Amino acid sequence: MDNLLVRSAKVAFPSTPFHGKEVDILVENGIITKIAPHVEVDDDRITVVDAKGQYVAPGFFDMNVNFGEPGLETKEDILSGCAAAVAGGFTGVAVHPNTQPPVHSRSEVALIVNRAKALPVEVFPIGAISKKRQGEELAELYDMKLAGAVAFGDGNKPVQQAGLMSRALLYAKGFDGVILSHPEDASVAAGAKMNEGITSTYLGMKGNPNLAEELMVARDLYLAEYNEAAIHFTTISTAESVDLIRRAKAKGIRVTCDVAAHHLVMTDDLVVGFDSNYKVNPPLRTDADVMALRQGLEDGTIDAIVSQHTPHEIEFKQVEFQVAADGIIGLQTVLPLALGAGLAVDLIVDKLAIGPRRVLGLPIPEFQEQVEANFILFDAEKRWQFDRHTNRSKSNNSPLLGKELKGQVTMVVNKRQIINTPN
């Protein structure tokens, strides 16, 4: 399908003259050649799609994704991960260095970049801050940047040494590198299985207090301010973290942050059934935290929504809750969760397509004639079944598997490829 005519799509491209209007879009050989209220064509080679009732938006970008390649391909390889990304409407992803070996040198960065070249999803590696993600010695950040790394973080391992984080911020500042912080004080959170609160007390499980996250947010804000450097907090989950970052932004500190889609809807009371698919890090918090996170999105404190896609084989999840691995797959369920959180379509597009690219300094897809197409179609009302047949990931660790969801991406156009996503 090289040529495409999309009819009657409602435009959700902020900052364009077409925003909010219903238009026809003609795509020829991957290039948008015509945008108008009505486009007439007389060519049998052009596929016509009726998009009445659907939105056309920039391709989403997920800046917190875990693929297993290299070394953990049984969880997810780049090919299967990108298939899940396309099904969720993502035309770009930033993959964290939680691999074996970790992405801590130009070799691993180049491997990922080369493996993804021909795919319809742009894959950007995030290089590790420390060698082997051990939190002891700074990795070759600039070398990885030259090879294609878009940011730096130790993945799901928080940088416990303040001195190391300070040096990373200062070093990356020299070449406009983006440093990511996974905010958790391990000495406070160590051994925790879920959020600390009423539910953890009821279940008799060690809890991870909000304080463990907030201490690290406060520390890294101080370090960023001291070094006059930028910092990004990934998957914040507490009301106090939102407030700390809100005040830091007002003060002029160069700070951004994101939130995982599941933290906008799910709370720690879901753990009562001991379903290990609800075991994530940071853990599911309380209703008060959920409401604060939603407010943080509304007022601009939180810059992006991510999936925190973390695939695991069955033996890592179908075990006792206490020993199960953290994480769920999420690429295909971000849009339904964001809609379920009551977020407006324009806000969803901003936090899933514009905000992540702005944080990482990547170009934002344009919606105008004579530019290469990078857009998706999605139906905010369409109901669909997320199950083993529609799941495109290699792994099945999601509490939403087997459930009916509302909101589905129906088409992805990127890198001169056109993909129908419904199954």
Side-chain angles (χ1 to χ4, degrees):
M1 191 194 304
D2 294 325
N3 300 323
L4 171 72
L5 175 60
V6 177
R7 288 208 180 279
S8 305
K10 187 173 182 180
V11 179
F13 265 80
S15 304
T16 72
F18 303 102
H19 182 63
K21 298 178 180 178
E22 194 172 279
V23 299
D24 290 359
I25 309 152
L26 181 62
V27 179
E28 297 177 279
N29 299 314
I31 304 296
I32 299 174
T33 56
K34 186 71 174 175
I35 305 172
H38 185 72
V39 177
E40 280 295 339
V41 293
D42 185 18
D43 189 337
D44 293 338
R45 296 169 298 176
I46 295 177
T47 301
V48 180
V49 173
D50 182 5
K52 187 74 174 177
Q54 297 189 54
Y55 293 90
V56 57
F60 296 156
F61 190 100
D62 194 337
M63 59 184 298
N64 190 322
V65 170
N66 294 286
F67 294 164
E69 195 169 356
L72 299 172
E73 289 85 356
T74 53
K75 295 180 185 293
E76 195 88 277
D77 57 35
I78 292 171
L79 188 63
S80 64
C82 286
V86 167
F90 293 94
T91 60
V93 296
V95 291
H96 281 243
N98 306 321
T99 52
Q100 291 180 356
V103 182
H104 63 166
S105 75
R106 66 180 299 119
S107 299
E108 296 86 24
V109 171
L111 181 148
I112 292 171
V113 169
N114 290 331
R115 286 280 287 139
K117 272 183 179 176
L119 299 176
V121 178
E122 296 170 284
V123 180
F124 297 90
I126 293 173
I129 288 175
S130 64
K131 291 182 178 179
K132 299 182 181 178
R133 296 197 305 134
Q134 292 178 343
E136 297 173 357
E137 185 180 355
L138 202 63
E140 294 291 346
L141 307 188
Y142 187 59
D143 207 28
M144 289 189 282
K145 171 85 169 180
L146 294 177
V150 72
F152 306 95
D154 272 355
N156 58 2
K157 288 187 176 182
V159 177
Q160 295 300 309
Q161 290 188 19
L164 180 66
M165 178 58 89
S166 183
R167 289 190 294 276
L169 288 166
L170 187 59
Y171 183 51
K173 174 184 171 184
F175 58 88
D176 292 325
V178 180
I179 295 293
L180 309 184
S181 171
H182 175 71
E184 180 182 84
D185 187 315
S187 66
V188 177
K193 309 301 178 186
M194 62 174 296
N195 178 56
E196 182 181 272
I198 294 172
T199 306
S200 67
T201 303
Y202 169 70
L203 296 176
M205 281 199 286
K206 178 172 171 52
N208 180 341
N210 289 17
L211 180 66
E213 176 174 308
E214 294 149 10
L215 282 172
M216 194 63 82
V217 170
R219 186 202 77 173
D220 287 350
L221 285 173
Y222 276 120
L223 292 176
E225 182 179 25
Y226 177 78
N227 290 292
E228 297 181 343
I231 190 155
H232 178 84
F233 293 99
T234 187
T235 61
I236 64 168
S237 65
T238 77
E240 181 63 21
S241 291
V242 176
D243 190 52
L244 284 167
I245 293 168
R246 181 183 290 118
R247 284 184 278 146
K249 284 190 171 188
K251 192 178 179 181
I253 297 174
R254 294 166 59 197
V255 56
T256 52
C257 63
D258 64 58
V259 61
H262 46 267
H263 282 119
L264 299 173
V265 176
M266 302 177 189
T267 55
D268 62 350
D269 57 349
L270 292 167
V271 177
V272 169
F274 295 105
D275 182 349
S276 63
N277 285 319
Y278 288 110
K279 189 179 182 186
V280 291
N281 182 23
L284 301 178
R285 302 292 188 181
T286 66
D287 282 319
D289 293 308
V290 167
M291 297 310 295
L293 293 169
R294 293 181 185 178
Q295 181 58 42
L297 287 167
E298 295 279 357
D299 66 22
T301 301
I302 300 175
D303 301 87
I305 299 172
V306 300
S307 71
Q308 202 185 21
H309 180 80
T310 307
H312 287 299
E313 303 93 331
I314 189 171
E315 59 267 27
F316 286 87
K317 277 297 191 179
Q318 288 198 7
V319 292
E320 293 84 354
F321 190 93
Q322 290 87 338
V323 298
D326 294 323
I328 61 176
I329 57 171
L331 280 164
Q332 291 178 246
T333 56
V334 172
L335 177 61
L337 287 173
L339 290 166
L343 304 183
V345 166
D346 283 357
L347 183 62
I348 290 172
V349 170
D350 181 59
K351 303 304 180 183
L352 282 179
I354 311 300
R357 290 183 171 96
R358 187 180 293 127
V359 169
L360 296 174
L362 297 171
I364 295 168
E366 297 180 75
F367 188 66
Q368 62 185 38
E369 295 175 2
Q370 304 309 318
V371 302
E372 188 169 320
N374 181 348
F375 66 76
I376 62 172
L377 294 178
F378 70 88
D379 187 335
E381 300 298 325
K382 186 173 182 180
R383 295 186 177 275
W384 61 286
Q385 195 77 13
F386 183 48
D387 53 30
R388 292 176 185 271
H389 299 291
T390 55
N391 176 28
R392 291 292 171 254
S393 172
K394 278 189 177 182
S395 299
N396 295 293
N397 54 305
S398 169
L400 299 176
L401 207 69
K403 292 187 166 70
E404 184 183 72
L405 306 178
K406 188 176 85 165
Q408 187 177 39
V409 174
T410 61
M411 178 173 284
V412 171
V413 183
N414 188 42
K415 294 174 72 173
R416 299 180 184 264
Q417 299 180 54
I418 301 169
I419 302 166
N420 286 304
T421 57
N423 302 274

